[in-house]
Amino acid sequence: MPANPLLTRSDAPRPKVGIVHLGPGAFFRAFNAPYTAEAMAKSGGDWGILTVSLRSADIRDKLKPQDCAYTAVELAPEGAEYTVVEAIEDILVAPENPGAVLDAMADPQVKIVSTTITEKGYCHNPATGELLLDHPDIAHDLTHSDAPKSAIGYIVHALNRRRLAGVAPFTMMPCDNLPNNGPLTRSVVLGFARALDADLATWIEANVRFPATMVDRITPATTQADVDALTAAQGYIDNACVMHEPFRQWVIEDDFVNGDRPDWGGVGAQLVRDVEAFELMKLRCLNGTHSTLAYLGYLAGYETISETVADPAFVNLINSLWENEITPTVPQPEGEDLLAYCAALLKRYQNPSIRHRTWQIAMDGSQKLPQRLLGTVADNLAAGRDIPGLALGVAGWMRYIGGVDEKGALIEVKDPLSDRLRATYDSSGDPEEKVVALLNIKEVFAPDLANNTVFRRAVTQAFLRLCHDGARATVQGFS
Ligand code: CS2
C-alpha cells in the first residue's frame, strides 16, 4: 500500500500578515485561526496570521511541512467533520530567531498581537494579578531587549520599537482564561514597561488598546490515535490536526487601535462593550466545574471528563454547584440564560467523542484556582452562603497535588509551583496541617480567604473525607 500523502495547502491567494499570535497550541488552532479564516473568507482583509512558539519547535516541525495548513476536526456525538484551515501564513520558534519575532511584531502591517499562552504565560501573581518582576523570564527580559523569553517581554520590546519608529501600536488581545484578561494584560505590560522606561509606559498607557475577550471551545490535546483516525478518514497525514467540540463562543470587547480587526462579528463572534459578565459566567460555570471534575474525577479513577460525568454522583455534584454555589454569584450576561447555559455545559461534558483527559485539565491548578473557584468562594462567603461543593473542589486539588493517587501510584502533577506544592504537602503533618500549610501559599490563596474560618473548616472537612473515604465515596456522599 502506498504511504498516505502529507496534507498539502491549496493554491488560494495568500493574504498579508496582519496578526502575530503568540502560542500556536491546540486551542488557537481550533478557535482563533478558524474564526479568522472564516472572517477573511467572508469579508476579506489582510489578516494572515504569523504564529510564534515561545518555547518548543514541536508545532513548527508539524506545521511547516504542510505549509502551515492543518485540519480542524469537529467531534460531535453523531460523527466528525473536517475543515482544512489556511489562516496561518508562517510560524516561528522564538528562541531560534528572537529578532525575526520582534521585527514581525514591529511591522506596521501587523495590527493585532494576540495570545493563547495559558494562565502561567502572563508571569503574574494569580491571587493579585500583579506582574512578578522577580520571575526569571521577566528579570531576563528587562535587560535583553533583543532576545526576550516571555510573551510580556516580546510585547513591550516590540511596542517600544514601534514607538521609536513613529509607528502606531498594535492592539494587544489576550485569549486566555483569565478574569478581565484585557485589563490584566494591560497591568502586567505596564508593570514591565514602567520597570524599563517611564516614557514607554506613558506611551503604552495612552495609545495601546487591550480588549478583553471570553473564549470557549473544548479542545483536548491531540493524540497519535487522533492523527491516525484522520488519516483513515481523509486519506492524508496531518500531524498538526486539532480535535474540538462543535460548540464555540467568542465574546470580544470592540476596542481596537483605529478599529482595525477582522470581521469576526460576521462569522459568529460577539463584539460587545463589556465582556466581564460573559467572562465570569464562563470561568465560573464552565472552568470551575471543569477543574472540580478534573481533580475529583482523576482521584476517582476516571480518565476523561465524559467518563466522570457518566457517574451520576458527579452529575449531582456539578448540578448542585451550578444551582447553589456558582450561578448565585454570576450576573446573567445580556442574551444568556444561565440555567440553560449550565444544562448545555453538562451535554458538552457528556460528548463521548471528546476524550478530554482529567489529567490535562488538572494542569497548572495554582494558576487556575483563583479565577475558577476561589473568587466564587469569596463571593458566597460575603453573601453568607455555604460552599460545600466549592470546598470539595479545592480539597480535591489539595489531595491531587500531593502527587500520589488512591492506589498509591504517582501522579504527574504539572504546575509552575509543583515542587513547592509537593514540598508543602509532604512537610506538613496530619491532614488538618496539610490544609493549613497549603492555604498559606499566597500565590494561590489571598490571606483574607486563607484565614476565613468558614472556608478553612469546609476545606478541612472535605479533605479529611477524601483522605479517609476516597474521592468516589466522598462525591457519592455529597448532598
Ligand atoms: C480546561 C479549558 O484545560 C482546562 O483547564 O478547563 O481548557 C477548557 O476546556 C476551555 O476553557 C473550554 O473553553
Side-chain angles (χ1 to χ4, degrees), residues 27 177 215-219 282 286-287 290 348 356 360-361 368 372:
F27 183 78
N177 290 317
V215 294
D216 187 2
R217 172 165 264 183
I218 290 175
T219 307
K282 196 262 179 168
L286 189 158
N287 295 113
H290 237 199
R348 292 169 63 188
H356 205 175
Q360 177 187 343
I361 298 167
K368 294 178 177 178
R372 295 183 176 206

Side-chain angles (χ1 to χ4, degrees), residues 142-187:
L142 285 169
T143 55
H144 293 78
S145 59
D146 292 334
K149 291 182 178 179
S150 70
I152 305 306
Y154 272 102
I155 291 161
V156 177
H157 287 307
L159 284 170
N160 199 27
R161 290 189 180 202
R162 293 174 83 116
R163 175 179 72 107
L164 297 175
V167 170
F170 48 72
T171 293
M172 179 58 233
M173 182 177 71
C175 297
D176 283 293
N177 290 317
L178 290 167
N180 294 312
N181 56 15
L184 184 143
T185 304
R186 185 172 188 273
S187 168

Side-chain angles (χ1 to χ4, degrees), residues 218-295:
I218 290 175
T219 307
T222 300
T223 65
Q224 187 55 48
D226 294 324
V227 173
D228 297 342
L230 174 58
T231 300
Q234 297 293 91
Y236 59 75
I237 296 170
D238 176 355
N239 294 308
C241 61
V242 288
M243 308 293 129
H244 63 75
E245 65 168 334
F247 179 90
R248 70 181 188 180
Q249 183 175 17
W250 197 5
V251 184
I252 306 168
E253 183 183 0
D254 200 3
D255 180 20
F256 289 76
V257 175
N258 301 322
D260 285 335
R261 60 170 173 79
D263 181 21
W264 287 315
V267 291
Q270 296 161 260
L271 279 299
V272 299
R273 190 180 49 78
D274 185 350
V275 178
E276 188 171 1
F278 292 92
E279 276 185 338
L280 209 59
M281 173 184 73
K282 196 262 179 168
L283 283 171
R284 294 188 174 186
C285 296
L286 189 158
N287 295 113
T289 54
H290 237 199
S291 290
T292 300
L293 291 169
Y295 298 117

Side-chain angles (χ1 to χ4, degrees), residues 119-135 138 152 178-179 183-192 194 367 442-443:
E119 294 87 346
K120 58 183 176 291
Y122 294 82
C123 303
H124 70 300
N125 177 325
T128 65
E130 291 164 356
L131 177 68
L132 297 170
L133 284 170
D134 61 351
H135 186 293
I138 296 299
I152 305 306
L178 290 167
L184 184 143
T185 304
R186 185 172 188 273
S187 168
V188 294
V189 162
L190 284 174
F192 187 99
R194 289 187 183 113
Q367 312 293 304
K442 292 180 175 42
E443 289 86 342

